[in-house]
Amino acid sequence: MDWWSNSAIYQVYPRSFQDTNGDGEGDLVGVISRLTYLKSLGIDAIWLSPFYLSPNNDGGYDVQDPRAVDPRFGSMEDAVNLIKAAHKSDLRIIVDLVPNHFSTEHKWFKAALQSLPGSLERSRFHFYDGRGESGEIPPNNWCSIFGGPAWSRVKEVDGKPGQWYLHLFNSTQADLNWENTEVKEDFEKTLRFWLDKGVDGFRIDVAHGMFKESGLPDVRSSWIEKIFGKNNLTRMLSPEHKPFWDQEGVHDIYRSWRKILDSYDGDRMAVAEAWVSPASRIAKYVRSDELQNSFNFEMLTTLWKADQIREKINNSISALAEVGAPTSWVFNNHDVVRSVDRLDLGLTNHGDTTFSRHGDVNKLDIARGTLRAKSATLMALALPGGTYLYQGEELGLPEVRDIPEDRLTDPRWKMSNYKDRGRDGCRVPIPWKSASDGAFGFSSNENLTLQQAWLPPSSWWGKYSAESQESDPNSTLNVYRKALAIRKNEPGLGDGAMEWIDAPSQVVAFRRGEDFACYINFGSEIELPSNSEVLHSSAPLNGNHLPTDTAVWLRVSK
Ligand code: NOJ
Ligand code: CA
């Protein structure tokens, strides 16, 4: 079976993982230094968020050179050493590929600014004349995912206001024109570059972007309020067809990339970050001659309700079954409010403001959210397919809500006109130690203060540290470890069939293989089936009763 069908893949956000040169930013050597920890979790692979040369206006997703390492993260030698060291530990490595846009610091964009309208240099991006008498109105009515118009106007070489360029994200992330063959060739070069360095795969950023509907038509006016009146993820998730997402052209790219991946030895793969719906559209990205895997984002938008979770599981599995691809479960990543908070407050990643996206902090019960997040872990690891985990999820980190406003870095903060604090709260450096030295062990420089870390951890962060969780068998960390260890040796887990078990409506229960069962209790306490033996639980059981917001793995006899 293909490795990604069963794997637990751990996302490292390098800037916040481990700092080894004391500058307050995580680096690649830091990831190497934590491989023993990663191995001890029982994961199978690591996905590294971007570490490429970048002005870092959008966490490195604004790539200046995809074939160079940003000095803040180290050197190319460090990257190669990391790939080798991971392989030595039997861990695979996936890296990010960001094909929808380049940073405006990329040499191509700089050349475009120095060139005339209609030039070859401009044709690598989407440069258009504006509308209105003197071209002062953007070419169409599209908006940026982060807020504000999706177009910025440039000054021509003569110093006069000139054409506009498209940026679906930050104004420093210029959308590439995928009709241009140089763009296509350059990404093939990047794929080969990293495959030659030994990576096992790629995470394709905005995999549903790249192609735009021909002529770049306005979004139909009846949709404008519905689509553009709402925040970024609402727009990404809303089911209407949009002229900038999910165009047929992207599938030709994936067919050509698949050939490149298959031409290498080993099992190289790519996973799509495609925010498309309904689920049947995601299936198109993982047809047998396209990408091997796609994130299943259903659980990022779910309420903690048994019927909704059951429905999302059914939809995910049936959509992909048609194309024979495995699904993969995602409860956290660097773009969403952490699951501890989300599952407690019933957040579905929708909304325009901090309040609508991050919920009402006065209603937050972190203890309950932690129970739910731990249950979600046992559920995800028992469902068919693979799982993507995000760093800190194994520590049960909650969202950090008290980063001072002047320290926020997410472009969403400014582009939302300071209405949405954005995604920094899930990107705070990992607390490794309980004492605050070196920002809770994030930095090898013990004198580094919390304020000197690139995003300041809060004073209460130490209680979540890996160190403080080591010795507690019920800590989130140890629940994770044990779950991953059981999963590895349990023949019924990983990809394969599942069977629903009849259970009260507030309980999600399913069987895997001959005799393995997972029960998740969303309602009041229930009695466990009599013919069962407990293998693992997300929190202590009450005798033979399964408490609220708790999940259990059982050995059952039929
Ligand atoms: C998705 C990435 O996960 C996110 O962090 C980034 O802002 C956008 N794509 C733009 O590249
Ligand atoms: Ca560093």
Side-chain angles (χ1 to χ4, degrees), residues 396-434:
L397 296 184
E399 186 78 3
V400 177
R401 294 162 179 272
D402 51 10
I403 304 169
E405 288 185 353
D406 63 353
R407 296 295 303 273
L408 293 174
T409 68
D410 185 352
R412 171 87 187 128
W413 174 231
K414 192 165 165 210
M415 291 178 81
S416 70
N417 224 350
Y418 307 103
K419 287 196 190 106
D420 179 359
R421 289 169 62 88
R423 301 162 293 176
D424 287 324
C426 67
R427 299 176 179 179
V428 176
I430 293 296
W432 295 105
K433 295 187 181 153
S434 311

Side-chain angles (χ1 to χ4, degrees), residues 11-117:
Q11 180 188 358
V12 169
Y13 194 74
R15 203 175 178 199
S16 294
F17 201 56
Q18 177 70 62
D19 168 30
T20 57
N21 65 349
D23 63 357
E25 301 194 49
D27 39 58
L28 296 178
V29 172
V31 185
I32 298 177
S33 76
R34 291 287 174 195
L35 283 174
T36 319
Y37 169 83
L38 291 173
K39 191 68 192 166
S40 84
L41 291 177
I43 54 152
D44 306 292
I46 298 167
W47 150 34
L48 291 171
S49 276
F51 51 88
Y52 315 119
L53 189 67
S54 162
N56 217 35
N57 291 320
D58 181 26
Y61 285 94
D62 47 325
V63 179
Q64 181 177 345
D65 182 348
R67 300 184 289 274
V69 172
D70 196 288
R72 82 178 65 235
F73 295 116
S75 63
M76 187 57 77
E77 199 187 343
D78 295 339
V80 172
N81 286 342
L82 170 53
I83 297 166
K84 285 192 184 140
H87 285 166
K88 237 186 186 159
S89 302
D90 218 8
L91 293 169
R92 305 201 190 234
I93 289 267
I94 294 176
V95 296
D96 243 287
L97 187 76
V98 189
N100 184 67
H101 39 264
F102 270 161
S103 161
T104 50
E105 292 296 312
H106 189 283
K107 62 178 188 232
W108 278 1
F109 195 82
K110 288 184 175 167
L113 289 184
Q114 295 306 314
S115 306
L116 294 174

Side-chain angles (χ1 to χ4, degrees), residues 92 103 134 156 160 163 177 211 219 246 259 312 379 396 398 415 420 435 448 453 471 474 477 509:
R92 305 201 190 234
S103 161
S134 51
E156 298 298 346
K160 295 201 178 121
Q163 288 195 303
N177 173 14
F211 275 92
V219 171
D246 202 18
K259 290 196 185 110
K312 285 185 180 264
M379 174 170 77
M415 291 178 81
D420 179 359
L448 191 100
S471 55
N474 292 317
L477 178 59

Side-chain angles (χ1 to χ4, degrees), residues 58 61 101 146 169 203 205-206 273 334-335 423 427:
D58 181 26
Y61 285 94
H101 39 264
F146 294 141
F169 293 86
R203 175 262 189 193
D205 187 68
V206 199
E273 186 223 17
H334 64 294
D335 288 332
R423 301 162 293 176
R427 299 176 179 179

